[in-house]
Amino acid sequence: MSTEDRQEAIALAAIPLLAEHGTHVTTGQIAKAAGIAEGTIFRVFKDKQELLDFCVLRAFRTRELVERIDAISVDQPLTSRLIEAMTMIDEMAARLGTLMHTLGATGYRPNEDHKKDDASGKDAKPPMMDEFERTTTAISALLSSGQEQLRLPADRAAGYLMGLTFMTRMQAMRTAQFDQKEPESFVAEIVDIFTNGAVAVKAKRGGKDPR
């Protein structure tokens, strides 16, 4: 198995443990979950910090998610397509929220040595932003198939929908921390607001549209 394949396998085994235990998880626990000797971890990662950083980046990777979104059939109504796609995104956002909350609460801080662009000295764009943009592009493509139903370009509409979904998920998770319950998904409601608006089409006052 190549170094890259070994890193991938270790990360996939480690991420659920990190979401549960944060930085308190031991490399022995990770090795057991991955079915390898503990020393194997340190043959492909120089230390635990590098392992944690790799796992975080792997958790944010959206390649598989984008492939699933791209595979959604355009034969179904636009609303159904959006609910299917945004449910996938909301589920990933929930997993990431749990992971990052647990890591942060247990003292995780990313190694920021790579943040500076060697050529310009300016802060490089975080890899997570590239992943977010890839997902937004996939939603834009999904919307493009129904462009005639939109009042604005698909790329702008996709940005609004992504922002609404992520902000709603973050709020739901914050509330759940106090209520001690699993936050429910609001995807169908979000898509309904996105496609139909939050204001009733017909107002009772004089029969005028309040918008």
Side-chain angles (χ1 to χ4, degrees):
M1 184 179 289
S2 68
T3 296
E4 292 75 16
D5 289 341
R6 179 68 74 185
Q7 288 176 326
E8 175 83 0
I10 293 172
L12 291 178
I15 289 171
L17 294 173
L18 292 174
E20 182 177 0
H21 304 291
T23 60
H24 295 158
V25 71
T26 67
T27 51
Q29 289 174 303
I30 293 172
K32 182 178 180 180
I36 58 175
E38 187 173 1
T40 303
I41 292 176
F42 297 104
R43 285 199 286 272
V44 293
F45 296 105
K46 67 179 182 180
D47 53 30
K48 188 175 179 181
Q49 177 69 47
E50 185 176 67
L51 168 61
L52 294 178
D53 290 341
F54 184 90
C55 287
V56 169
L57 290 177
R58 178 60 183 84
F60 274 85
R61 189 188 302 170
T62 59
R63 182 181 62 197
E64 296 92 343
L65 175 63
V66 168
E67 289 175 351
R68 291 171 62 200
I69 293 172
D70 289 343
I72 293 175
S73 172
V74 297
D75 294 332
Q76 56 183 317
L78 179 61
T79 298
S80 299
R81 279 178 269 157
L82 291 177
I83 290 175
E84 185 176 348
M86 300 316 294
T87 296
M88 298 177 193
I89 291 172
D90 181 57
E91 289 171 350
M92 182 175 184
R95 291 194 299 271
L96 290 174
T98 298
L99 173 67
M100 299 311 294
H101 172 76
T102 306
L103 282 173
T106 54
Y108 170 73
R109 297 294 181 273
N111 180 357
E112 299 186 344
D113 290 345
H114 62 280
K115 281 189 66 177
K116 294 292 184 181
D117 186 308
D118 293 337
S120 66
K122 297 180 180 179
D123 285 346
K125 183 169 62 173
M128 289 79 164
M129 286 301 300
D130 286 331
E131 300 296 340
F132 184 85
E133 289 171 4
R134 289 189 186 97
T135 309
T136 304
T137 298
I139 296 299
S140 176
L142 193 65
L143 284 166
S144 294
S145 60
Q147 179 66 63
E148 70 283 354
Q149 300 177 55
L150 303 178
R151 293 191 294 117
L152 68 166
D155 56 345
R156 286 176 55 197
Y160 288 132
L161 182 55
M162 288 285 288
L164 184 59
T165 301
F166 271 85
M167 290 304 296
T168 303
R169 168 51 55 185
M170 290 172 61
Q171 181 59 45
M173 294 189 72
R174 280 197 295 267
T175 302
Q177 289 171 22
F178 295 102
D179 294 344
Q180 299 298 310
K181 65 180 182 181
E182 189 71 20
E184 62 181 299
S185 174
F186 298 95
V187 171
E189 185 176 42
I190 290 170
V191 171
D192 180 62
I193 291 173
F194 174 77
T195 54
N196 299 309
V199 178
V201 174
K202 294 182 179 179
K204 297 297 184 181
R205 303 172 186 173
K208 294 182 179 180
D209 186 338
R211 291 178 294 180

